[in-house]
Amino acid sequence: MNVTTPASGPADRRAATLVMACLGVFVAYLPVTTVAVSLPAIQAALSASTAQLSWVQDAFVLPMAAFILTAGVVGDVHGRKKVFQSGLLFSAAGAAVALAAQSVQVLWIGQALAGLGAATLLPTTLALISHAVPDHRERGKFIGLWATSLMAALAVGPLIAGVILDHAAWRWIYLLSIPVSLIAMAVAARLLPDSRVPHGRRLDWLGQITATLAITALVYGVIEGGAGSFTDVKVMMALFTAVVGGVAFVLAERRSDSPMLDLALFRSPAFTATTLVAMIAFLALIGFFFLLSLYFGLVQQLDTLQAAWRLLMVTAAAIVVGQPVGRLMHRISARALITGGLLVISGALFSLTTIGADTSFASIAWRLALLGLGMGTVLTPMTATAVASVPYQLAGMAAAGNNAFRQVGGALGPAVLGALLTTKALDTFPGHLADAGVTGVAQERIVAAADAGGLGAVAQLDLGADTGRALGALGDSFLDGLRLCLTVAGSLTLLAALVAVVLLRRPRQASIAAASNTAGRAPSAEAVTAVGQREG
């Protein structure tokens, strides 16, 4: 393998790689919860509808899903150090654009640039670790630290946003990412060793175009269908385009001699299981965080910092359990850890279906902590198993593939659950208004505002004496939608647990490497397939 490194010993290079990989994934995930808890403030400041708010989240997640595979290939071909620094630059640029945004459309652009940076950083950081630590057993410890850094970004994001929004406008939540990214770029230039794959990989443009088309059309169709109607012509065309794009991607990858994602990897049960689990679980979890932030803002009328402390229960619990789980991977199978963690997550989501407008912090806190324990139990073995299911020569492709499907699920989460929430809440809203004593012209005006601008638009109306009753009915309608979404999310994590039980097997990374016919060359599709057939 061609490697260019600074003049330092192996231990120093390994330490520098770990530090920069952890910093990179921290920068990549910092905007996720920072923006999530700020959505009510963004909605009020920019007069955004619920569908537009979904696009604030998805404008970030979509590029992650669409370009993460290409980022892995570019890193393999041109050097992961360069790609790592490019990701930091995109993150800083996206934060700068969002900081200056005066409309929700410009905010989307900033989020998209930051998402492109995250797409570049995620597979690159894992590939750097895989190169620095070829032994997949020892690599699990490093990936555990990587996962802890990811959860740390999710944990501190809401607190940063809460403190800022108590003293300044929402846009300043983006400020921290700029200096952190630029400083990390400078440090990486000096300390980070480089690596690349020596065999002749090249960019797969047809695969990139078809993947981007399929993912973008799918998420667009789900968001617009939820905001309007799935029988709308533009929605039906978008979903049809997604299907065509997906089929074209599969055909392109099957025929390419340098595929962006070698479909033979899916013949390995370990890789297939972790990829499906990642997509299903993140659809449920990212969608849940989106809804939870709206619940705290619209129903419980909490400010951002108060909401941040509640979200911290999830991420803090995940961080606490993350490192012990990384060590337990040598004693307990990944199958048991992932399945058990998903069952815990599902139980926590179902338990949250009983919350109401006046549910206390203590009553919510233990359920959120339980959710975090499940997340921490799943994330490290899921990521480590996906990377360990292939030799380190294909670490970039494996990491990119797993993360791509994870981000597809993450992109669909706010879209799918947001659509379910809006549909259910709007269906029950007139009834709750009538129960609260708001009828006639006042009810028609309120319902029309909700239909046109989303549930958040009701809170901005001047309703005089009807204000309290209307907001109470709004909260009840939101809770109807939230309970439906929690039931769906819990069912999805149960499905992910079933997938893990049925498909997940102990990865045979060493066998995959041995199956390659030529030393130093990446294993062929036939080699990976043969190993997949021997797993279990």
Side-chain angles (χ1 to χ4, degrees):
M1 179 170 293
N2 297 333
V3 181
T4 304
T5 63
S8 57
D12 292 336
R13 292 197 298 270
R14 180 177 295 187
T17 299
L18 176 62
V19 170
M20 297 311 300
C22 290
L23 184 58
V25 75
F26 182 89
V27 169
Y29 266 84
L30 185 60
V32 175
T33 50
T34 307
V35 175
V37 298
S38 304
L39 289 176
I42 293 172
Q43 183 175 40
L46 300 180
S47 301
S49 67
T50 302
Q52 288 176 323
L53 277 187
S54 295
W55 277 111
V56 171
Q57 291 281 76
D58 283 323
F60 177 83
V61 179
L62 263 177
M64 292 177 72
F67 293 100
I68 203 168
L69 289 169
T70 295
V73 176
V74 173
D76 289 346
V77 174
H78 297 291
R80 291 156 184 155
K81 180 176 179 177
K82 298 183 184 70
V83 176
F84 177 84
Q85 291 178 297
S86 298
L88 292 170
L89 182 60
F90 277 119
S91 296
V97 172
L99 181 64
Q102 299 295 326
S103 68
V104 70
Q105 289 78 15
V106 175
L107 179 58
W108 292 343
I109 296 173
Q111 285 281 92
L113 287 171
L116 186 58
T120 306
L121 290 169
L122 286 173
T124 306
T125 51
L126 280 172
L128 286 168
I129 290 175
S130 294
H131 172 255
V133 191
D135 183 354
H136 72 276
R137 287 184 173 272
E138 186 181 2
R139 190 189 305 154
K141 302 175 184 177
F142 285 77
I143 291 179
L145 292 170
W146 178 91
T148 299
S149 300
L150 186 158
M151 295 308 304
L154 298 179
V156 303
L159 297 177
I160 292 171
V163 171
I164 289 174
L165 291 176
D166 270 355
H167 301 89
W170 63 269
R171 66 185 68 258
W172 296 105
I173 64 174
Y174 289 98
L175 179 62
L176 180 63
S177 293
I178 300 174
V180 170
S181 298
L182 295 178
I183 291 172
M185 283 182 61
V187 174
R190 172 63 181 165
L191 299 180
L192 185 66
D194 199 3
S195 65
R196 69 188 71 198
V197 175
H199 63 89
R201 292 198 72 191
R202 62 179 184 273
L203 290 179
D204 177 15
W205 289 108
L206 184 58
Q208 175 60 73
I209 293 170
T210 53
T212 302
L213 178 66
I215 293 168
T216 304
L218 176 62
V219 176
Y220 174 83
V222 172
I223 289 179
E224 294 300 318
S229 171
F230 282 97
T231 60
D232 188 289
V233 174
K234 67 178 182 181
V235 173
M236 295 177 67
M237 286 298 298
L239 297 178
F240 176 75
T241 301
V243 172
V244 173
V247 172
F249 173 76
V250 171
L251 294 176
E253 297 308 276
R254 287 175 62 88
R255 296 177 180 179
S256 174
D257 58 358
S258 181
M260 187 167 61
L261 179 64
D262 193 337
L263 300 180
L265 293 177
F266 289 97
R267 297 174 189 171
S268 164
F271 183 81
T272 301
T274 52
T275 299
L276 288 175
V277 165
M279 183 172 65
I280 296 170
F282 267 67
L283 189 158
L285 291 173
I286 299 300
F288 166 75
F289 278 117
F290 173 74
L291 299 178
L292 192 65
S293 65
L294 294 179
Y295 164 76
F296 287 140
L298 290 177
V299 179
Q300 292 207 320
Q301 300 293 307
L302 301 178
D303 62 33
T304 305
L305 190 57
Q306 290 172 321
W309 285 115
R310 285 154 175 79
L311 287 174
L312 185 62
M313 300 302 300
V314 180
T315 48
I319 290 172
V320 168
V321 78
Q323 280 304 300
V325 166
R327 292 190 292 269
L328 284 173
M329 286 177 60
H330 302 308
R331 302 175 184 174
I332 303 176
S333 70
R335 183 187 191 187
L337 289 171
I338 293 172
T339 302
L342 289 169
L343 291 175
V344 170
I345 292 172
S346 185
L349 290 170
F350 284 126
S351 73
L352 284 164
T353 58
T354 62
I355 63 175
D358 57 353
T359 302
S360 67
F361 172 56
S363 180
I364 293 179
W366 70 265
R367 309 179 213 206
L368 297 181
L370 189 64
L371 180 66
L373 290 174
M375 288 178 60
T377 304
V378 169
L379 184 59
T380 298
M382 180 176 69
T383 305
T385 302
V387 175
S389 64
V390 300
Y392 69 86
Q393 293 99 322
L394 292 180
M397 180 185 290
N402 186 263
N403 275 296
F405 281 89
R406 180 187 303 176
Q407 300 312 324
V408 168
L412 289 174
V416 172
L417 296 186
L420 286 175
L421 172 73
T422 300
T423 300
K424 180 67 173 179
L426 290 178
D427 284 346
T428 62
F429 192 30
H432 285 300
L433 284 171
D435 292 341
V438 181
T439 59
V441 176
Q443 182 187 117
E444 292 175 1
R445 178 190 173 202
I446 295 169
V447 171
D451 286 337
L455 298 175
V458 177
Q460 301 173 28
L461 295 176
D462 181 9
L463 301 174
D466 289 329
T467 298
R469 292 190 293 271
L471 292 180
L474 174 67
D476 291 338
S477 300
F478 184 94
L479 287 171
D480 289 338
L482 179 63
R483 292 181 183 116
L484 173 62
C485 291
L486 288 169
T487 301
V488 171
S491 300
L492 286 172
T493 51
L494 278 180
L495 175 61
L498 179 62
V499 169
V501 169
V502 173
L503 292 181
L504 192 58
R505 297 290 185 269
R506 185 180 182 87
R508 306 276 186 171
Q509 189 269 349
S511 299
I512 296 176
S516 180
N517 295 323
T518 305
R521 189 181 68 193
S524 64
E526 292 77 10
V528 177
T529 301
V531 173
Q533 293 171 344
R534 291 197 297 270
E535 286 177 348

